Every structure is written in structure tokens, then in C-alpha cells.
Amino acid sequence: LGRDNLAWLNGNKTSTPNLDNFFTSGLFLSDFHTFKICAPSRASTMTGRYPFHVGFYGDHVAQHITNFSTVATLLKKQGYSTHAIGKWDVGYVVKETTPTYKGFDTFFGYYKACNNDLFYHSTPSCMKGSTIMDTDLSRNVGDHIGPATGENGTYSTRAFSAEAVSIIRNHNQSSSP
């Protein structure tokens, strides 16, 4: 969801009545400050700590949130179902830094900071000088970490939206909030 997707910010080019209601009945923060890259903000959102307290500085050193609990971990302890969809980018080198080891029941998305192809889900290789494009689209459930299959040719936004709708429709409210 981007800023220009909201009706009250784009001259009503879209229809977002529920989000519009948040704006009209709540507080709108129009100015904010963040780091030049997204991982520090992402780590802060996941842990509730300032980015510099979890070691995220954007200095291209392997960064992760291994030693910190996430909001998902806390929600899970209260009986909630937790799912991560989209971009992770707060650790993937070891399994303990992946979403399903940080409190999420499932994860469908990218581990790396960016991808070059929104239909075939490729990312630049981590090997210096390599021209190989790795595929970075995963579907993880519990302890199983694996590639997402059957998604090549599907636009990322559509794949992520379909996953969210599927999770919501299949949620059993009697077993967890």
C-alpha cells in the first residue's frame, strides 16, 4: 500500500472507505524521519527497539534480529495466529533469523532487500562480480523453509494479495484471535 493508493491523498482516484475513516476519525502524522534504507526501520518495527539498539546501521554488514523477540513472538504467546507476507530483510543467513523462527506461523515473500523482477522474483547474487540472478521467493511454514513454487509469471503484488486473502479466509477464529 502506497501513499497514492489512499483516496483522501490521491483526489479520490481509488476507493478506500475504511482507511478514509481512520484518517477522518484519528490522528494523521504527515511528517516522519527514517534512515536512508528500510532495514533499520523494519528491524525497529519488528522488535519495538530503536534500530541502533538492534545493530542496524545500513553499513552492509550482515544484520539480523537473532537476539531479540519480535512483536509476532509476543502476539503468538497470547494465542494469535501470525503471518508475514512480502519483504523480510532482517536476517536470512541462518534459520534462527527467518520469519518462522521469529514468531510467525508462516512466511511468503522475499528475504533480500530488493528484487529485479516482480514477475520471476529474481535478485542480484550475493557473490561479488556474479551476473547470476538468484530466485528469492520463499514459502515457509513452521520449521519448513523452502522455495515458493508455481509463482513464476505472477506479479508479486497479486501473489502477496492472494496469500493474504487465503490466510484470512482460512482463519479459524474459534482456535485463535
Side-chain angles (χ1 to χ4, degrees):
L1 177 66
R3 181 181 174 91
D4 198 45
N5 297 122
L6 302 169
W8 51 273
L9 291 172
N10 69 16
N12 292 313
K13 293 177 189 171
T14 57
S15 176
T16 55
N18 293 326
L19 295 174
D20 295 348
N21 187 43
F22 281 130
F23 171 67
T24 57
S25 64
L27 175 67
F28 175 64
L29 303 174
S30 61
D31 296 317
F32 56 93
H33 304 277
T34 187
F35 200 68
K36 62 185 176 182
I37 59 173
C38 64
S41 296
R42 192 174 301 278
S44 184
T45 301
M46 289 286 174
T47 63
R49 298 172 180 267
Y50 286 115
F52 53 85
H53 285 292
V54 290
F56 276 77
Y57 302 103
D59 55 7
H60 303 290
V61 174
Q63 298 167 331
H64 50 78
I65 54 176
T66 304
N67 300 325
F68 303 96
S69 294
T70 64
V71 172
T73 302
L74 300 175
L75 289 170
K76 193 122 188 81
K77 288 179 182 178
Q78 298 300 314
Y80 285 87
S81 295
T82 56
H83 305 274
I85 301 171
K87 178 179 164 181
W88 179 246
D89 193 30
V90 286
Y92 64 91
V93 176
V94 293
K95 68 182 178 185
E96 290 80 15
T97 63
T98 61
T100 53
Y101 282 82
K102 297 306 293 177
F104 290 97
D105 296 320
T106 66
F107 170 66
F108 175 60
Y110 302 103
Y111 280 117
K112 295 182 181 179
C114 60
N115 61 51
N116 289 353
D117 189 323
L118 298 175
F119 289 91
Y120 292 95
H121 321 293
S122 60
T123 62
S125 175
C126 294
M127 298 176 65
K128 192 172 185 172
S130 175
T131 58
I132 296 172
M133 297 299 284
D134 299 327
T135 298
D136 179 22
L137 187 61
S138 297
R139 180 178 299 283
N140 306 342
V141 179
D143 291 343
H144 173 75
I145 297 174
T149 58
E151 298 295 338
N152 273 345
T154 304
Y155 185 54
S156 294
T157 300
R158 294 197 188 279
F160 296 153
S161 297
E163 181 75 5
V165 168
S166 175
I167 288 169
I168 292 166
R169 285 189 175 148
N170 293 319
H171 178 68
N172 182 353
Q173 288 185 329
S174 63
S175 66
S176 67

